[in-house]
Amino acid sequence: MIAVNPLDSASVLAAFGALGVLAVIFAESGLLVFGFFLPGDTLLFPAGVLCAGTAEQPARLALWQVLLCAAIGAVAGGQVGYLIGRHGGRALLARTSSRRVKGAASRAENLLARYGYGKALVIGRFVPLLRTVLHPVAGALGVPTRPFTLWQTVGGVLWSQALVLAGFTLGASVPAVDDYLLLLVAAVVVLSMLPLLVEARRTRRERRAEPEPEGHAEAEGSEGSEGHAEAEGSEGSEGDAEPGPRDEPQRRDQSGRHDR
């Protein structure tokens, strides 16, 4: 009996090969909550490396099988995730206590609102965590079926094929690349996190650039005008209370006439 760790890409590829790619990518592309813990980028890239053969060592996986299984898993998983979101996705997101799931759902909703269906579904495929919850969120928000199917298929095929072919190209051009496979996987993880960092930085800039609310500005303006009016009123009353220099001679004259 073979023990397989679904969180370890090497274990999945060694046990199931291309079929393991199909199963994991299917779950990672749309099975809400459970798909968060599965490898996506870190499975496709090593799978491509294992498809490259050299004169000393033949290929351990067939490239066409891996490409086909990766595309089917990505597209089918995205469509199932959409159906999950359309039939009870909001309730499922509301019941979850995971901050990662809720944060990714909020980012997915903002991405759809900012870029529209096409760009959001293609860009979201290349962002880890986000691609797992993006399709259920699209279903929960009522994205029409036809544009969703079109653009999630485009995004799924581009993402899956690009990573497999990148791994295959590197494996074919660099001898003994298997010795550096862990470092390459770490590099893929870092690169895949860059879109999240860029989006977070952009959000911070937008929050800093937002103008103050109108109510706050009006309140400050009214306070300033009231204070100015009170200051003018106090100055005016003080000026009336104190006699000016022109009043003094008249009082002296009046006092003098009275004496006479």
Side-chain angles (χ1 to χ4, degrees):
M1 185 175 179
I2 301 176
V4 179
N5 181 7
L7 306 182
D8 184 10
S9 58
S11 177
V12 172
L13 293 173
F16 302 110
L19 291 178
V21 172
L22 190 154
V24 171
I25 296 303
F26 172 84
E28 201 253 359
S29 296
L31 296 187
L32 195 59
V33 181
F34 179 70
F36 270 89
F37 304 99
L38 296 176
D41 300 332
T42 56
L43 176 66
L44 294 174
F45 189 83
V49 172
L50 296 178
C51 292
T54 60
E56 295 80 11
Q57 186 176 8
R60 280 164 280 182
L61 295 175
L63 179 62
W64 71 270
Q65 292 179 356
V66 173
L67 289 173
L68 181 61
C69 289
I72 293 175
V75 174
Q79 206 67 28
V80 170
Y82 173 79
L83 294 176
I84 292 174
R86 194 150 192 173
H87 301 284
R90 285 187 178 275
L92 184 60
L93 289 172
R95 285 197 301 267
T96 182
S97 59
S98 175
R99 294 183 179 179
R100 295 174 66 186
V101 174
K102 291 183 177 180
S106 178
R107 289 195 298 270
E109 190 170 352
N110 293 336
L111 189 69
L112 289 167
R114 180 192 293 271
Y115 297 108
Y117 305 150
K119 288 183 179 180
L121 291 170
V122 174
I123 294 173
R125 278 287 188 174
F126 292 84
V127 182
L129 304 181
L130 181 61
R131 63 173 160 264
T132 302
V133 77
L134 178 61
H135 308 121
V137 168
L141 293 176
V143 175
T145 304
R146 287 186 178 180
F148 173 83
T149 303
L150 171 63
W151 291 111
Q152 80 92 4
T153 301
V154 172
V157 171
L158 284 177
W159 167 66
S160 60
Q161 308 302 283
L163 282 174
V164 172
L165 291 175
F168 175 78
T169 303
L170 185 64
S173 58
V174 178
V177 71
D178 293 354
D179 298 337
Y180 311 100
L181 195 56
L182 292 177
L183 294 177
L184 292 174
V185 170
V188 170
V189 172
V190 172
L191 291 175
S192 63
M193 296 299 293
L194 287 180
L196 289 177
L197 298 177
V198 172
E199 185 66 22
R201 188 174 182 181
R202 182 182 300 172
T203 302
R204 290 179 183 176
R205 287 181 179 178
E206 290 179 353
R207 289 178 180 176
R208 292 177 182 176
E210 285 181 356
E212 295 182 357
E214 294 181 358
H216 182 67
E218 290 177 359
E220 289 183 351
S222 61
E223 290 177 0
S225 60
E226 288 176 1
H228 184 64
E230 290 176 358
E232 288 183 350
S234 60
E235 289 177 0
S237 60
E238 291 176 359
D240 293 339
E242 294 180 0
R246 294 181 180 179
D247 296 336
E248 293 180 357
Q250 292 179 0
R251 291 182 179 180
R252 291 175 182 175
D253 294 342
Q254 290 176 358
S255 63
R257 288 177 184 175
H258 181 72
D259 293 340
R260 291 176 186 176

